[in-house]
Amino acid sequence: NKYLKWSCLAEENKLLLKEIDTIKSSEKELIKSQERLSRLLDMENDAILVFEGESMVFANHSTEEMFGYDNDELLSLNLKDIIYESSCDFFTHESIVNPELVNKWINLKFTAKNKDIFQASALIVQKRICGTESIIITISRCAKGDSESREDNNSHLSILHDSKIKLIEEVLQSLN
């Protein structure tokens, strides 16, 4: 009878060890997947910023280069820290993004770390990610003449931006 109990316990332990190995393997795969997604977004030429409320929760490497901040500094900033004051029509009240400016390319002025002001084309999208209302901003420095071609090519850019948004969603969901 004791032998049967020990035999059952040994078999249960083997099953538990196998389950633990499966979980560890899944966690390693998840980490690799997160790293691949983050690298993809970091290879992007456009700056990509994600805000939950007023707080920045994600910024890719191009954002660091464009604004002159390192990633930790960026994540401590809010929308009003990077959008230049004269772009006041960007906000309606209490830093809520003006709905007329969402889902289209607009020219905005931004403030870099060194307090330089620069103008760039930006696409602002409001989207629920991981149950939280988020603002995703894609910023592209382009010559003035390029902004018209961006507008003409808006549907193509929207498709590209949608795929970026899906990638961003995957990264943020994997971090939660």
Side-chain angles (χ1 to χ4, degrees):
N1 201 2
K2 282 186 179 180
Y3 175 75
L4 187 58
K5 284 183 182 178
W6 284 108
S7 176
C8 287
L9 285 173
E11 194 60 37
E12 285 180 25
N13 282 341
K14 284 181 187 176
L15 290 172
L16 285 173
L17 287 172
K18 196 179 277 187
E19 191 173 326
I20 289 169
D21 285 343
T22 302
I23 290 170
K24 284 182 179 179
S25 176
S26 295
E27 286 174 345
K28 286 179 185 176
E29 285 303 312
L30 178 62
I31 289 168
K32 285 180 186 176
S33 176
Q34 288 172 340
E35 289 170 353
R36 281 193 302 269
L37 291 170
S38 290
R39 276 196 307 272
L40 277 171
L41 290 174
D42 278 340
M43 291 184 334
E44 186 65 40
N45 286 330
D46 291 343
I48 299 172
L49 304 87
V50 180
F51 292 86
E52 289 178 357
E54 285 190 39
S55 303
M56 191 180 309
V57 295
F58 177 84
N60 69 345
H61 186 68
S62 292
T63 306
E64 295 174 36
E65 290 176 357
M66 191 177 286
F67 285 89
Y69 292 99
D70 67 34
N71 202 270
D72 288 337
E73 291 173 309
L74 280 168
L75 296 179
S76 71
L77 301 177
N78 65 45
L79 274 169
K80 288 186 176 179
D81 292 327
I82 63 161
I83 296 178
Y84 184 64
E85 297 165 2
S86 74
S87 299
C88 59
D89 62 336
F90 181 77
F91 302 107
T92 51
H93 59 84
E94 299 299 314
S95 84
I96 305 299
V97 176
N98 183 342
E100 293 176 15
L101 303 178
V102 174
N103 294 323
K104 60 181 163 184
W105 286 96
I106 57 172
N107 286 316
L108 280 176
K109 289 184 179 176
F110 296 93
T111 306
K113 181 179 181 176
N114 63 7
K115 303 298 180 209
D116 281 351
I117 290 132
F118 65 93
Q119 186 164 336
S121 292
L123 180 62
I124 291 89
V125 174
Q126 285 185 292
K127 186 157 182 81
R128 192 172 262 324
I129 300 175
C130 302
T132 305
E133 197 61 38
S134 301
I135 298 168
I136 302 164
I137 303 176
T138 302
I139 304 169
S140 176
R141 287 193 200 218
C142 64
K144 289 181 183 171
D146 291 345
S147 62
E148 286 94 34
S149 63
R150 274 193 181 275
E151 306 236 343
D152 295 340
N153 210 359
N154 226 359
S155 64
H156 172 67
L157 290 164
S158 294
I159 292 167
L160 285 174
H161 196 263
D162 288 346
S163 62
K164 285 181 198 174
I165 299 245
K166 287 179 183 163
L167 205 55
I168 292 165
E169 284 179 294
E170 287 180 41
V171 168
L172 293 176
Q173 287 171 349
S174 69
L175 296 175
N176 284 338

